[in-house]
Amino acid sequence: MEAFESELLGSSASDRGWSLVETFSRTRRELPDEFEHGAAVLARHLEESGLPVKSYRPSIYQGVPLDTRLQCEGRSFPCKAAALSPAQAEFTAPLVHVPARDGKTRVHTNDPALLFGEGMTRLSLAALVRGKVVLTEGLSNPARSQLLEELGALAIIAINPGRAVHWGASSVIWGSPGMEDFGRLPGIVSMAVNRESGDWLVDAAARNASVTIAADMLHGWFEQTLLTVDIPGNGPAADEFILLHGHMDSWDLGVGDNATGDAVLLEVARTLYAGRRHLRRSVRVAWWPGHSAGRYAGSTWYADNQARALHSRCVAHLNCDSPGCRDAVDYGSIRGMAEAQPLVAGAVSDLFGQQCRLERPGRAGDYSFNNLGVSGAMLTSSMVPAEERKRRGWYSVGGNGGSPTWHTEDDVLEVADRKVLENDIRLYALVAARLACGVTPLLDFRLPCAQIVRRIEEVQETVGTAMDFGEQLALAQALQVEVGAAYEGPQAAPRAGRWPALFAASRSIVRAGYSERGIYDQDPAIAQAAVPMLGAATEWGRHAAAAASLQRGANRLHAELENALRCL
């Protein structure tokens, strides 16, 4: 590590961050008024740390579950409605079990065959579920909920894999709905039960039982506090900035998700602010509302209202969610865009002596900046090692180091670990510093360009001679050459003289790799293949309109590749 990096890390601490974790372990941040109390607590911690705090008051749409009821044959079952489900007066309807395809219970897709098994079509699924309450396995899946609603299901009961009942989300709308999206809010309740209850209900469905369900929900537009801290850089690149961010709301007490993340952000802000003389680029730290009950409504509001600054000046964003959890000492797999592989892997190697491979970020977390073309890295970071999770009988969840305490009432202080928290503080501080302090940021855009070329080749193979992607492939290959010229040998940081042009081109490179809609839009919260503009290729031969959608996507991709080349 560079001397200034060692200096920065040597000054990092966890006292105030751990104090925040302890306070939040007694502070619910679920309902809008509870969140506001939590925001005031965080603001005091930031101010007492001597940090320059800025407060926004966005009005964001949320749907918070208050009470959910499920009965069958005189028996009541513990259950939780997914966020943004509609309020539902009590009703009774037949129950049908549609088994999830083995191993696919967390796939966020609306493909009937992928969700429920080969041979399942929209037509055959509709015949099973119309006018019934659907029982199936897995955690919340908004795309599945949307599909079943479209096919006439009256409600959904998701059988969670273990003893816990997990909160989740039901809407595929990313952020607060606009006028064009409002009618697409969920129209049926999606709720969860645990494995024991689910097994009983599977047997009940086999004997043609009916269920009675009801859900009380708090829906509406709520003013919520969004806090930021700006740490100024020095010199000609100071207008460029790194966005370091995470959500402040929780389910119940939410210690591992995301009080620990809020603490990491606080301590990294303290570390970088104290060492700000080393920063060439500025760093902006943000704490979002509306992550859970608003489907990333806080970060989406910020993307909307700071769109031009983010597009023109934000070099990269780093998301912080569920760090600092007990026994989470494995950094072998972290999510992030391809260009961040050398950045994150280098930091992990230098700090922990581990090899790290970046996985493509799914359409989840607060990655609300893809359409603006902003490179992103991180989300969850430290994990309990996979072998240990398997030994403990844990199943796949979305945070808490892999612990099934995620999104449950068991996410309490005992989930967190101060030593692991300190590891994650150092990791985020080092990654942010290497983006902010280098002559050019440690981002290798040769890697996503290679992915785009491969994806175009795959799509061409899929469609054969029915469509020609020769122009797009030629542009992507030319872009590979031009981007390659911005680097010197194996160095992962671009040449200083080429950085301004490469930065401008990176907006289109990121959009080509990770977005489908326009620059100021948000794609839905549904799984996407690489190069989403060509996503219709996954429906080739199965949907009559795939060719039209694919051609339109190819046109958008052509424009992005042309723009990137023009910038270079």
Side-chain angles (χ1 to χ4, degrees), residues 4 8 231-235 237-238 271-273 275-283 432-438:
F4 77 88
L8 283 173
I231 306 169
N234 303 282
T271 298
L272 296 180
Y273 191 73
R276 60 191 179 278
R277 68 186 182 281
H278 297 297
L279 303 183
R280 295 173 186 268
R281 293 169 195 84
S282 300
V283 176
R434 287 182 172 173
L435 286 168
C437 300

Side-chain angles (χ1 to χ4, degrees), residues 539-563:
E539 294 294 320
W540 189 260
R542 297 197 303 166
H543 199 300
S549 294
L550 190 54
Q551 183 60 64
R552 292 165 188 164
N555 293 341
R556 293 194 297 272
L557 177 61
H558 192 287
E560 295 293 356
L561 296 173
E562 273 192 329
N563 183 66

Side-chain angles (χ1 to χ4, degrees), residues 34 58 62 139 218 251 271 301 352 418 495:
E34 294 170 342
Q62 299 186 82
L139 301 174
L218 177 65
W251 290 118
T271 298
W301 178 90
F352 312 118
R418 187 166 177 174
R495 303 169 189 257

Side-chain angles (χ1 to χ4, degrees), residues 355-411:
Q355 291 186 333
C356 175
R357 177 179 57 85
L358 287 194
E359 294 184 357
R360 179 181 174 85
R363 191 70 181 132
D366 278 289
Y367 272 62
S368 300
F369 314 101
N370 294 358
N371 294 66
L372 291 168
V374 183
S375 295
M378 314 295 285
L379 204 160
T380 53
S381 50
S382 52
M383 294 288 291
V384 175
E387 300 79 8
E388 178 61 17
R389 282 182 272 141
K390 183 178 180 181
R391 187 189 70 78
R392 297 179 185 183
W394 290 359
Y395 44 88
S396 177
V397 294
N400 286 34
S403 166
T405 57
W406 174 80
H407 282 201
T408 73
E409 300 91 342
D410 297 325
D411 189 3

Side-chain angles (χ1 to χ4, degrees), residues 121 148 178 196 280 283 302 347 368 385 437 453 522:
T121 66
L148 292 172
E196 181 183 358
R280 295 173 186 268
V283 176
Y302 197 78
S368 300
C437 300
V453 168
Q522 289 288 345

Side-chain angles (χ1 to χ4, degrees), residues 145-317:
S145 298
Q146 182 187 56
L147 171 68
L148 292 172
E149 179 184 347
E150 289 172 353
L151 299 182
L154 301 181
I156 302 160
I157 304 172
I159 305 171
N160 291 174
R163 68 168 185 82
V165 184
H166 298 270
W167 281 290
S170 185
S171 175
V172 299
I173 300 170
W174 190 282
S176 297
M179 289 168 51
E180 68 281 4
D181 284 325
F182 211 83
R184 296 173 56 241
L185 284 167
I188 63 173
V189 173
S190 175
M191 61 176 62
V193 297
N194 66 14
R195 180 77 258 179
E196 181 183 358
S197 298
D199 288 342
W200 195 95
L201 289 167
V202 167
D203 291 340
R207 54 181 180 265
N208 299 315
S210 292
V211 292
T212 299
I213 69 171
D216 296 331
M217 302 287 298
L218 177 65
H219 271 260
W221 295 90
F222 300 94
E223 281 196 0
Q224 302 277 254
T225 297
L226 189 162
L227 299 173
T228 65
V229 168
D230 278 351
I231 306 169
N234 303 282
D239 279 349
E240 296 177 358
F241 68 93
I242 315 303
L243 178 63
L244 180 59
H245 62 98
H247 70 90
M248 198 199 328
D249 58 313
S250 69
W251 290 118
D252 203 77
L253 294 172
V255 170
D257 184 19
N258 190 36
T260 52
D262 300 327
V264 166
L265 295 176
L266 184 158
E267 291 291 6
V268 174
R270 288 177 68 195
T271 298
L272 296 180
Y273 191 73
R276 60 191 179 278
R277 68 186 182 281
H278 297 297
L279 303 183
R280 295 173 186 268
R281 293 169 195 84
S282 300
V283 176
R284 186 170 298 172
V285 190
W287 291 262
W288 310 126
H291 166 97
S292 296
R295 206 74 171 123
Y296 323 122
S299 57
T300 301
W301 178 90
Y302 197 78
D304 292 340
N305 285 269
Q306 298 289 324
R308 289 177 293 281
L310 288 160
H311 179 260
S312 62
R313 298 193 284 116
C314 184
V315 171
H317 72 91

